[in-house]
């Protein structure tokens, strides 16, 4: 398990080397991320300016309560909404970036796999197919993330456990879902379904976590995703290539 986790981290480092060895790859990979940053800033601004209205709408059940009790509930709900959106932000950022940047990241994936020896008979994903596949997987992954977020949020009120174990579990779950997203293009180019992708990645969960956890944590740093996502896309391509071809040399 530890060896696989370390190997996964090595794949992320290799992704950085692969992308930054070519200025063109850096530019191609950063462009969709820049667009997504603008969209996310707009979204966060709208959320921040309307959080009172959102909290008031969500706490309609407390209209008959005293002003003090209602205000406490609204503040708690507002904080919970912001925390939930923050937890999903990295996943959403990656999903949106991959959806609008399909052709860009397909270019990176193709170049990376060519360096690994190429894959005969691969399919061209294209913008619209990549967008639809990305949208479908995003809906499923965000849905899964929300399902996990609810019990984790409730467990957050447990003393000690809520401040130690729960945050770690939250990071691991969202990071693993991020790893599934970052390997989408190599699997799609081979005609593999979303279900097949999940099944294959599940055979090496520790490696996926070793790759995805540092990626997720780095993406929490403001604007770091501009360089992290292209590198993670390359690293995810190497990870997918290894699992799909059984080529252990790809982690060297």
């Amino acid at each position: 398990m530890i060896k696989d986790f370390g190997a996964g981290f090595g794949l992320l480092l290799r992704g950085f080397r692969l992308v930054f060895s070519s200025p063109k790859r850096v530019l191609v990979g950063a462009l969709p991320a820049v667009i997504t940053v603008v969209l996310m800033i707009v979204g966060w601004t709208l959320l921040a300016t309307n959080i009172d209205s959102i909290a008031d709408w969500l706490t309609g059940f407390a209209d008959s309560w005293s002003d003090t009790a209602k205000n406490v509930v609204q503040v708690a709900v507002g904080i919970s909404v912001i925390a939930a959106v923050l937890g999903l932000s990295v996943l959403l950022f990656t999903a949106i970036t991959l959806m609008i940047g399909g052709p860009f990241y397909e270019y990176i994936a193709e170049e990376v796999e060519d360096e690994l020896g190429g894959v005969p008979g691969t399919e061209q994903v294209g913008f619209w197919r990549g967008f639809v596949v990305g949208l479908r997987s995003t809906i499923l992954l965000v849905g899964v993330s929300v399902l996990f977020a609810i019990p984790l949020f409730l467990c957050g009120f447990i003393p000690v456990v809520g401040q130690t174990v729960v945050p770690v579990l939250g990071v691991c779950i969202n990071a693993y879902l991020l790893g599934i997203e970052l390997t989408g293009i190599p699997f799609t180019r081979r005609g593999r379904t979303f279900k097949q992708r999940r099944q294959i990645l599940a055979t090496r969960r520790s490696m996926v976590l070793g790759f995805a956890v540092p990626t997720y944590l780095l993406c929490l740093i403001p604007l770091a995703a501009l360089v992290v996502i292209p590198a993670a896309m390359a690293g995810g391509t190497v990870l997918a290539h290894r699992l799909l071809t059984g080529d252990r040399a790809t982690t060297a």
Side-chain angles (χ1 to χ4, degrees):
M1 182 181 296
I2 295 176
K3 183 178 179 181
D4 265 6
F5 191 92
F9 180 67
L11 291 173
L12 176 60
L13 295 179
R14 183 167 183 181
F16 275 100
R17 291 197 300 270
L18 286 166
V19 169
F20 283 92
S21 64
S22 167
K24 184 178 180 180
R25 291 178 192 172
V26 176
L27 292 174
V28 167
L31 182 58
V34 170
I35 297 173
T36 307
V37 165
V38 174
L39 294 175
M40 294 292 282
I41 290 175
V42 172
W44 269 103
T45 302
L46 290 173
L47 176 65
T49 55
N50 293 282
I51 189 62
D52 290 339
S53 299
I54 295 172
D56 183 61
W57 178 71
L58 291 173
T59 56
F61 59 87
D63 287 343
S64 60
W65 297 6
S66 67
D67 290 341
T68 301
K70 182 178 179 180
N71 288 336
V72 170
V73 172
Q74 286 182 340
V75 170
V77 169
I79 293 173
S80 299
V81 170
I82 292 175
V85 174
L86 179 61
L88 291 172
S89 286
V90 175
L91 197 60
L92 287 171
F93 180 91
T94 308
I96 295 171
T97 302
L98 292 178
M99 281 191 292
I100 66 179
F104 299 92
Y105 293 121
E106 185 178 2
Y107 163 80
I108 292 177
E110 187 173 354
E111 283 218 333
V112 169
E113 291 207 284
D114 285 344
E115 290 191 16
L116 299 174
V119 180
T122 53
E123 305 174 5
Q124 291 298 313
V125 178
F127 175 78
W128 288 113
R129 183 184 177 195
F131 183 86
V132 171
V133 171
L135 179 61
R136 184 175 57 192
S137 63
T138 296
I139 293 173
L140 290 172
L141 293 174
V142 170
V144 171
S145 180
V146 171
L147 287 177
F148 277 106
I150 294 173
L152 287 176
F153 171 75
L154 296 176
C155 291
F157 293 101
I158 302 175
V160 182
V161 174
Q163 293 73 49
T164 54
V165 177
V166 171
V168 173
L169 283 176
V171 168
C172 289
I173 291 170
N174 283 325
Y176 188 80
L177 297 175
L178 179 64
I180 295 176
E181 282 192 312
L182 289 168
T183 53
I185 290 178
F187 277 86
T188 303
R189 292 180 70 227
R190 291 170 170 82
R192 300 300 184 99
T193 65
F194 179 73
K195 181 179 179 180
Q196 290 173 324
R197 192 197 326 168
R198 288 191 297 107
Q199 291 174 337
I200 292 173
L201 292 175
T203 63
R204 305 298 290 271
R205 283 194 178 92
S206 296
M207 184 178 294
V208 176
L209 284 171
F211 161 72
V213 167
T215 301
Y216 181 85
L217 294 176
L218 286 172
C219 285
L220 292 176
I221 303 172
L223 301 182
L226 293 176
V227 294
V228 174
I229 293 300
M233 186 67 242
T237 299
V238 180
L239 171 60
H241 185 91
R242 171 175 181 175
L243 296 183
L244 288 165
T245 65
D247 182 7
R248 299 184 63 85
T250 56
T251 58

